[in-house]
Amino acid sequence: MLLIKKDCKGTAMNPIDQEILNLRSKAQGMSAEYIPECDLQLCFLMHEVALGQSLYATLERPTSGDERWMGMCCLALADRERALEHALRALAMGEARASIDLVRLYLLIGKPEQMQAEMAMVQVEQLDRLNRAIWHRNVSVVHALHNNIHDAVLEAEKAWRVIQTAPEFNFYAPEVLVTCSGLLATSGRVEQALYYLGRADEICQTPYLWHIKMTRIVLALDHMVLQGVIEDAQLVIQNTTNTKILVVSHMSIARTHLCLGRLAEAQPYFEQALLFAQKAVMHDFIHMNQEYLFLVFQRLGLHHKARRMFKRMQLHIGADLHGSFVDVHRSYMDDRFTQEEATALVDQALNFVREYGDDLEIMRVLMYRCRMLLRHSPANFSNGVDDLATFITEQDCAHKCFEDWVFLPEVRKDLDTRYPGLIPTLDENQVQVLTLEQERILFNGEDVRLPLSKAMEVVVYLLLHGKVSLQNIISHVFQDLEPQKARNYFHQIKHQLSENVGLFQIVYDKNTRLYSIESGHPIMLDIKQLLESQQKTDQVFLPSSGSDWVLEMNARLQN
């Protein structure tokens, strides 16, 4: 424990001592009843956990309490390994309350036997109100991760009742309310979840406020409310140094771009989130961002990057949920699997998430299972989609996993065809291709910049003609170039569209040897509407192009 002392000679106080003194003063203003056990507890409750780590480094002889609250500071930064180290040291030094923290830590690192042993050690009736609130909140997390949401909510509500009369109310109540909110949202009570978040926002006077705002962003995103998410997340990023909040905020921006079909825009935010997670050794977030990047690279046609990311995903997995998702993706990617082997691998993963996962994780496995069936067992693809539709209907979870649909256009198309209206749509999610008197592509009203001068004409040609051979593309769009230069130019456009645009891409069918445009969003081509209605116009089609097929189209439209 660090006691702040004034130097009688007037010597300047060192910066950490000064910050602690300021923190004590602020805490006194928040609650006159609160007396810190030690300065590290103060750092934890005031959500100045990085300061807590700096303070700990200055202590010559940390007490058992210092060790315990240092562990809590590490856990707040998602550094589970260091948190476990300090909690065990606190326990060995006689701090019995460290068992409360070990319950959560053992759960997070996948050691259920040790978790149960620590739960048996805790004498709840002897705890003060703060530690009883921490206990009930931790037990709530245990129930939640075992998919027992009913009991999780009950334990979180116990934590809320206990903390209301504790001296630490202003400090710890917001965390309890955020836990309650998350559980209520999971059980479908979104309005009540938003109420708890609003109450947490009212009470909070510490940097935890940015965690609350981040939680509200994630709740909105999980329920397909995308308006303002990117702007709100950027505001959070500008105002916090908390690594976990930075990771989730970057992921929220990336997920929003995925929902809007912007693969290329999502990529750098996932990459930044991954860097933050790796620096802080946040295993869950490392796996999540690696998986998203693997899928983004795969969808953009950057197969070398996808393979490299997939290998990284496999490095640190075990018999857990992350391992199950790796198996699902492996069943799709690996050409060596027979139909039976691929199906067995996915079914094994599905059984695992049904036992240990939640609805979102089960739904994701069912979604990517359909992709595997389409590749390895096409005759069973429709049955796989039927299984997915049944699960979505029974669990009322159509709004979940929305960002994943951009990776599964064939599954989404079949689902929309045979179960129309089951999956909600974003009305503004439309690509507009404008070719009359202008050459523009808009997404949600915003201009999309295309690389290379002929890219627009290539896109329009493919949209008008559907599936086309390379020879037809070369002879019509690149008629003034030598065949080899035309091929190179076309493949350069194809690559640039995938890597730098992401809204749609040129895909090649190995069976038919034809090229076409594919997108996760509806594409509105203005000239197609005129052609279908057989209307005439004086407007010029693709005004910058002098290709013969464009001149013929203009003559057709005007005569």
Side-chain angles (χ1 to χ4, degrees), residues 11-25:
T11 304
M13 200 176 284
N14 75 59
I16 293 178
D17 287 358
Q18 185 61 58
E19 287 187 68
I20 295 296
L21 189 61
N22 294 340
L23 211 56
R24 280 181 171 274
S25 176

Side-chain angles (χ1 to χ4, degrees), residues 164 295 401 554:
Q164 289 185 53
L295 291 166
C401 309
N554 273 304

Side-chain angles (χ1 to χ4, degrees), residues 292-355:
Y292 274 124
L293 283 168
F294 156 70
L295 291 166
V296 167
F297 292 146
Q298 194 176 58
R299 186 75 184 133
L300 289 175
L302 306 175
H303 299 298
H304 61 295
K305 289 188 175 182
R307 285 191 294 271
R308 190 183 310 136
M309 190 58 65
F310 189 73
K311 286 182 179 179
R312 293 176 186 173
M313 286 169 60
Q314 293 176 293
L315 289 178
H316 304 293
I317 60 167
D320 55 14
L321 291 171
H322 297 301
S324 296
F325 285 113
V326 167
D327 284 343
V328 171
H329 296 312
R330 191 158 61 92
S331 71
Y332 171 78
M333 290 177 60
D334 199 329
D335 292 327
R336 294 170 298 179
F337 282 127
T338 64
Q339 173 182 324
E340 293 76 16
E341 289 170 337
T343 303
L345 192 61
V346 174
D347 288 346
Q348 179 180 320
L350 184 58
N351 290 335
F352 187 91
V353 296
R354 278 178 170 153
E355 183 173 356

